[in-house]
Amino acid sequence: MVLAAGRGERMRPLTDTCPKPLLPVQGKPLMQWPLEALARGGFGQAVVNTAWLGAQIEASFGSVLSLQPPQNVREQLSNQEQEYPPLQIHYSHEGRDFGGALETAGGIARALPLLCPPGAAQPAPDVFWVLAGDVFAPDFAFSQAAVDRFVASGQLAHLWLVPNPEHNPKGDFGLRGGLALNLPPDDPQPRYTYSTIGLYRAALFAPPWCDIAPGNPHGTKAALAPLLRAAMDQAQVSAELYTGRWTDVGTPQRLAQLHLPS
């Protein structure tokens, strides 16, 4: 699931007429970077939630994203290998259905029938990626191996954490022995920032962790952090540190930085 429903208040006036996931970064809409990364990882289905100017997002990407390898790679492949499998895109239109975004947990709960359709045949039909459409992490590789490890772990979620950026110096969660920690405010252990990239089980969005009705038919708004913290307190959330390039594109200044020569 690619989260793309936010208003982007801190990006105004850029987002007054353009949803933040469509702002250009190095020649592509910001959200196209993670969609392409999912396709390269072999994942063939994506769900995108929308609210603010959501019709523009669906108009931009449609229902299928076809991706070709770079030219230098394409020249070494046979004709049958020239393209990655197409990525099918489904939409959960929170703005159209409820008049606005449902926050992260509310949006995921709403999209669960698309993420985990009844009768799905894949080995782990209750497991899915979640990532933000406004985060630039071009080095992150979405892999089936990571999914397999998560499935075998039995955990409710697995998070990728990053070193704290300037705008979040205190971090979000601790990390010890492969587990994410819900540290009390006075705990001196280091904290890291949640990258917004994670693997999740549908069970986290059902009782006892979440009391939203299946499919969120009433459009309940709910944040994700309280669910994660409750699961962390029961050692049900694993994590690892990611040190590749990562930017939360939350302000025009951070967007401008991505266009500077490296």
Side-chain angles (χ1 to χ4, degrees), residues 89 94 192 217 262:
I89 304 176
E94 298 169 17
Y192 302 93
S262 57

Side-chain angles (χ1 to χ4, degrees), residues 34 37-38 40-43 129-131 140-144 146 197:
L38 285 165
R40 286 195 300 269
F43 298 96
W129 292 96
V130 174
L131 54 144
F140 190 90
F142 296 90
S143 71
Q144 185 61 46
I197 300 171

Side-chain angles (χ1 to χ4, degrees), residues 17 91 123 229 245:
T17 57
Y91 295 91
R229 293 187 185 280
R245 289 178 292 170

Side-chain angles (χ1 to χ4, degrees), residues 68-195:
Q68 287 191 338
Q71 180 66 35
N72 62 331
V73 174
R74 196 157 60 243
E75 292 171 351
Q76 303 174 32
L77 302 178
S78 67
N79 290 335
Q80 290 78 17
E81 296 172 317
Q82 288 280 314
E83 294 186 2
Y84 295 97
L87 181 71
Q88 305 291 325
I89 304 176
H90 312 272
Y91 295 91
S92 178
H93 290 300
E94 298 169 17
R96 182 193 66 193
D97 296 340
F98 301 107
L102 302 180
E103 300 187 43
T104 304
I108 294 171
R110 175 65 177 172
L112 275 181
L114 295 171
L115 291 165
C116 306
Q122 66 263 34
D126 63 333
V127 168
F128 49 90
W129 292 96
V130 174
L131 54 144
D134 59 356
V135 163
F136 183 68
D139 303 321
F140 190 90
F142 296 90
S143 71
Q144 185 61 46
V147 174
D148 294 341
R149 288 192 298 271
F150 175 60
V151 171
S153 75
Q155 299 285 70
L156 289 170
H158 181 82
L159 312 182
W160 277 264
L161 307 178
V162 296
N164 297 330
E166 291 182 2
H167 58 85
N168 191 39
K170 295 183 179 180
D172 301 316
F173 306 121
L175 175 61
R176 185 175 66 237
L179 290 176
L181 305 177
N182 175 29
L183 298 175
D186 58 349
D187 195 301
Q189 295 183 71
R191 290 175 173 81
Y192 302 93
T193 293
Y194 177 34
S195 71

Side-chain angles (χ1 to χ4, degrees), residues 21 27-37 40 60-61 65 67 133:
K28 302 175 187 178
L30 178 54
M31 196 177 79
Q32 187 168 331
W33 289 89
L35 287 173
E36 289 185 354
R40 286 195 300 269
S60 178
F61 289 102
L65 176 70
L67 177 66

